[in-house]
Structure formats: structure tokens, C-alpha cells
Amino acid sequence: MNYAAIKKCDIANGTGVRTSLFVSGCRHHCKGCFQPETWDFDFGNEFTPEIENDIIESLTPDYIEGLTLLGGEPFEPENQRVLVKFLKRVREAYPDKSIWCYSGYLFDEELLKDSKARCEVTDEMLSYIDVLVDGEFVLEKKNIMLKFRGSENQRIIDVKKSLGTGEVVPWEV
């Protein structure tokens, strides 16, 4: 897996100060995407054990609230197979820090049901995520006043509660 960028003091992609990992590879190709270069699975740099360790170390300070995964598309199956092992390490090292993920795939329609996004590690990956912002970016529904999302169709989902109830539960501050 490749990644496009790492931001170690990100305040835009989730609550508090976070480390954000922008993975490469996305099949959605949303019109108006703010980083179309990340559609290419070969864009950026290789996600190595050294990079994993660096990100995990960046989460150490108390002022860092957690990790955010963006893209590209973290839920492309080839990315999931790498990220699930990394998320397990993050969760074990920092059980009280939150993990956010942005995905163009819909939680209830594509990540929980048979789809091109689901693979053998999808359920495990979801189990490590606290908050999921789902849905493709829709340029015609762009709204810069929205918190933590780019277009009005996107949802902010409390993954733990949703998995527990079997229904989509919106995330609340």
C-alpha cells in the first residue's frame, strides 16, 4: 500500500488534534475531489513498518486525540488488508484514542453487505474504527459550513453504537 501524506497536527479531519494518514488508491473518482492524485494506487510513498512506527509514535502526546484515515479510499480491499494490521497496533497501543475514517463507501449498504468494498478483513477493520464519515463527495451537494464533511449527503456515524444496534447511529459530540 502507498500513502499520499501524513499530517501530524491535523485539526480538520476529526475532533481535537489528530494524526491523519492519507492513503493512495481510490476507485470512486468523485467529481471535484480535492486530491485526485490519490486515486492512483501507486501515488506517493510505500507504507513501510518504519512509517507505521512513526505514526504510532506521533500519537503518544496527550494532546493528540487520535488517528484519522483518509484517502484515497481506506476501504479499497487492497488498502484494508494493510490498514487492519496497523489499526490493531494503534488500538492496542492507545485504547483510549479515537480512530476516525473517511470512506466513499456507504456503511450500511457497502461495508456491511456484499459489495466490491467488502473483503475478509472488513469486519475487523470496522471494529477498530470509532467514527466513520461515509458517502462519496458530491460536488453539487458541497457545503463548506458542514463540520467534518464536504457534502451534505455524507454521514458521520458512530461505528461502535451502529454495530451494536444493527442500525446506523449518527455520531454526536
Side-chain angles (χ1 to χ4, degrees):
M1 181 185 84
N2 280 10
Y3 69 96
I6 298 166
K7 294 184 180 178
K8 292 186 179 172
C9 281
D10 189 357
I11 58 169
N13 297 300
T15 55
V17 181
R18 315 183 67 74
T19 295
S20 292
L21 170 64
F22 294 77
V23 302
S24 294
C26 182
R27 294 183 175 93
H28 298 296
H29 298 190
C30 301
K31 179 177 149 188
C33 175
F34 75 105
Q35 346 191 84
E37 64 276 6
T38 66
W39 297 349
D40 182 350
F41 284 86
D42 295 321
F43 179 78
N45 300 297
E46 183 181 354
F47 189 68
T48 64
E50 294 77 22
I51 296 298
E52 268 193 44
N53 293 338
D54 183 56
I55 294 171
I56 288 173
E57 179 68 25
S58 78
L59 297 169
T60 301
D62 289 339
Y63 66 87
I64 299 294
E65 191 167 316
L67 172 72
T68 298
L69 301 176
L70 309 95
E73 173 57 70
F75 275 98
E76 294 294 4
E78 46 271 78
N79 289 341
Q80 288 184 61
R81 291 179 180 109
V82 175
L83 290 171
V84 71
K85 296 171 194 163
F86 171 61
L87 291 179
K88 182 177 182 181
R89 287 187 63 202
V90 170
R91 184 57 74 207
E92 288 171 351
Y94 305 105
D96 296 328
K97 298 212 181 218
S98 65
I99 298 175
W100 281 54
C101 183
Y102 285 74
S103 176
Y105 292 110
L106 296 174
F107 175 73
D108 47 342
E109 295 299 320
E110 295 171 292
L111 298 179
L112 294 181
K113 296 179 181 175
D114 285 340
S115 74
K116 63 183 178 182
R118 273 193 68 81
C119 68
E120 71 281 357
V121 298
T122 303
D123 292 335
E124 183 180 0
M125 186 159 151
L126 285 169
S127 77
Y128 299 130
I129 295 169
D130 297 296
V131 178
L132 177 71
V133 180
D134 82 340
E136 292 185 8
F137 172 75
V138 176
L139 186 59
E140 295 76 19
K141 294 184 179 187
K142 179 179 178 179
N143 182 341
I144 61 170
M145 300 305 290
L146 297 171
K147 197 170 187 179
F148 305 126
R149 53 196 177 120
S151 59
E152 294 173 355
N153 61 295
Q154 294 173 312
R155 304 177 294 181
I156 305 174
I157 298 170
D158 185 318
V159 176
K160 305 284 188 219
K161 287 182 181 175
S162 297
L163 291 173
T165 64
E167 296 180 12
V168 174
V169 177
W171 173 80
E172 296 178 20
V173 178

